[in-house]
Amino acid sequence: MADPLDDPGLAASLDRVRAAAGDYLASLGGRPVQDVAALKMLEELDGVLPDTGPGAEAVIERLLRIGTATATASSGPRFFHFVTGGVTPAALAADWTASLLDQNSFSRVSSPFAHEVETVAIAWLRDLFNLPASWGGALVASATFANFTSLSCATHWWAGKHGVDVARDGLTGLPRMPVLSGGYVHASARKALQMLGHGRDSVEVYAADAVGRADLPAIGRRLAEIDGPAVLIANAGEVNAGDFDPIAELAGLAEEHGAWLHVDGAFGLFAALSPRTDHLVRGIERADSIAADGHKWLNVPYESGFALIKEPARLGAAFGMPGAPYLPGPGDPNSGFALLGPESSRRARSLPIWASLAAYGRDGYRAMVERHLDLAQYLGRKIDEAPELERLADVQLSIVCFRAVGDDALNRALGAAIIADGRVYAGTTVYGGQVALRPAIVNWRTTEADIDFFVDVVRQLTASTRSSPGPGPA
Ligand SMILES: *Cc1c(COP(=O)(O)O)cnc(C)c1O
């Protein structure tokens, strides 16, 4: 088939996707996270670019056959690696709708519908986290981009204090922007600083101990010494054990010294949803910017992150594109989100956010978060009861940091064995100098039975790794 105009296979292709979806979603509860043996099918994707293709239906049939067999079930209930949410029913159907309608959320003119859904979605996110109505935001691809968006606004603010419009003139001639943090700062905040031209090593880290708790007196002394505008990064939810920087204390320091406070709350921001954990994010409304993820605890599909900004006008200052006559300028009523964030043309990623918040509401999300808090406590108790496992940190949120009793080599081998086995996924880290596992529970599908299964697999693999340690890391 040479031209899509001649392709009769559209309806049949969509029917195939719908049929495969039913089977795949039904399998998620019980399938291994990774069918390791199926991965050889990936070779079938290779080949030369065809001159003449068979059209949609045959190709979609092939894509679904390979994809449903080899996919990593990261949207299923037994994927505890990284911090990985699933996809709620409303979010999945809305995401299909976003592809169906293929709106460009560039401006009001390119899609009044997408513009309105995005406006409401941002307002609902702001309300979900109990932030004042004066706050604004941007929907972006990820928390990395949310950190980038927030730190772009911070950069614009900081350069303005030096009398420079950095959006127009760049960093030339400015001193290095001071960026301070405790030891929990995430690699993606460093990546954002790297993309912004500050350099990832511009972060000055003040940690009070080996796990990285913020050294508040040292941060205060340094801010006093800088005696000018600076940027402070707080972490609401650190990836190894789910700990939090003391946001209110850091906000106090930022206010005292006139610094910009940015909070990376990729998943930890969701602590605000439960009275059991909202003390962990006390003071976030005193921040200047907050970064978070939709594709983690909100349980919407990739790619979904958001930045919430105390003074929304800063988004336009940092991301406006004046001077293109065919585009609406800043302040034009036909303008839109392309001028308020890093991307220009962009898909309607607001649809799954809007739909999932509309479908489950504040109470639904609170119930899900609290279920995950309970599951994390349950996992913590099961670790404590297993004589060959030891927990390394209190369970404050939904991450449980533990290791097999033994040395780092054993724990590295255990981490590799879990991935090679594929029934469940969890990743290793280094926590306070020790190699550890750090399962994170943020998927709406996960139940106690999945936690039981996880612990059974870890105990089996601990025993087998201990009896034949293997070659170890290269
Ligand atoms: C996951 C995470 C990020 C980066 O998120 P992406 O969505 O992968 O870009 C940033 N900060 C923290 C604390 C995270 O947990």
Side-chain angles (χ1 to χ4, degrees), residues 142-144 147 186 188 235 237 239 264 266-267 293 295-296:
S142 63
T144 299
N147 279 327
H186 191 267
S188 81
N235 259 270
V239 291
D264 180 350
F267 61 93
D293 254 322
H295 53 225
K296 289 179 180 169

Side-chain angles (χ1 to χ4, degrees), residues 1-3 49-55:
M1 194 169 301
D3 190 325
L49 171 68
D51 288 328
T52 305

Side-chain angles (χ1 to χ4, degrees), residues 144-453:
T144 299
F145 266 90
N147 279 327
F148 175 84
T149 303
S150 300
L151 292 169
S152 290
C153 292
T155 301
H156 196 274
W157 163 86
W158 165 80
K161 295 276 180 198
H162 288 277
V164 172
D165 177 357
V166 75
R168 190 186 58 208
D169 296 325
L171 293 166
T172 309
L174 284 161
R176 191 167 218 191
M177 184 172 87
V179 184
L180 285 69
S181 173
Y184 290 160
V185 61
H186 191 267
S188 81
R190 290 183 181 276
K191 182 174 178 178
L193 291 163
Q194 152 185 345
M195 292 191 285
L196 286 163
H198 299 298
R200 61 178 170 267
D201 288 347
S202 61
V203 189
E204 303 173 26
V205 173
Y206 298 94
D209 61 19
V211 304
R213 288 185 185 87
D215 184 343
L216 293 175
I219 291 173
R221 280 195 300 276
R222 179 67 180 131
L223 285 172
E225 183 184 295
I226 292 167
D227 192 26
V231 175
L232 200 50
I233 299 179
N235 259 270
E238 153 279 343
V239 291
N240 289 327
D243 195 16
F244 285 69
D245 281 331
I247 313 282
E249 282 78 356
L250 289 168
L253 285 176
E255 286 157 8
E256 183 184 337
H257 297 282
W260 178 285
L261 178 62
H262 170 62
V263 176
D264 180 350
F267 61 93
L269 185 58
F270 287 74
L273 302 194
S274 169
R276 286 161 52 184
T277 46
D278 61 2
H279 61 279
L280 295 169
V281 291
R282 196 170 46 84
I284 49 165
E285 72 289 347
R286 291 161 69 190
D288 297 285
S289 55
I290 301 172
D293 254 322
H295 53 225
K296 289 179 180 169
W297 225 341
L298 196 64
N299 279 258
V300 303
Y302 295 104
E303 302 155 343
S304 187
F306 52 94
L308 299 171
I309 308 288
K310 177 178 269 165
E311 297 178 83
R314 298 199 175 278
L315 288 165
F319 295 108
M321 301 183 283
Y326 83 108
L327 300 177
D332 184 321
N334 285 323
S335 180
F337 289 105
L339 303 180
L340 301 173
E343 296 153 289
S344 298
S345 296
R346 43 212 282 288
R347 84 195 303 268
R349 64 166 64 93
S350 58
L351 268 58
I353 296 174
W354 180 90
S356 203
L357 288 172
Y360 312 114
R362 210 185 263 282
D363 290 349
Y365 272 97
R366 171 178 160 176
M368 180 189 71
V369 164
E370 292 188 341
R371 186 152 41 78
H372 293 151
L373 297 176
D374 290 340
L375 289 172
Q377 294 298 329
Y378 178 68
L379 174 55
R381 285 196 299 278
K382 295 202 64 146
I383 302 292
D384 292 347
E385 284 160 18
E388 75 277 33
L389 304 177
E390 58 176 333
R391 193 161 47 79
L392 300 186
D394 291 342
V395 182
Q396 297 200 59
L397 200 68
S398 64
I399 297 180
V400 181
C401 186
F402 73 95
R403 68 190 239 137
V405 175
D407 60 11
D408 284 351
L410 170 71
N411 280 280
R412 274 194 211 289
L414 173 59
I418 291 171
I419 302 300
D421 177 89
R423 282 176 290 170
V424 300
Y425 261 32
T428 57
T429 188
V430 177
Y431 183 74
Q434 293 186 298
V435 175
L437 288 160
R438 46 156 308 282
I441 304 163
V442 292
N443 185 307
W444 69 276
R445 291 178 180 271
T446 301
T447 65
E448 251 179 38
D450 299 305
I451 302 296
D452 290 340
F453 186 75

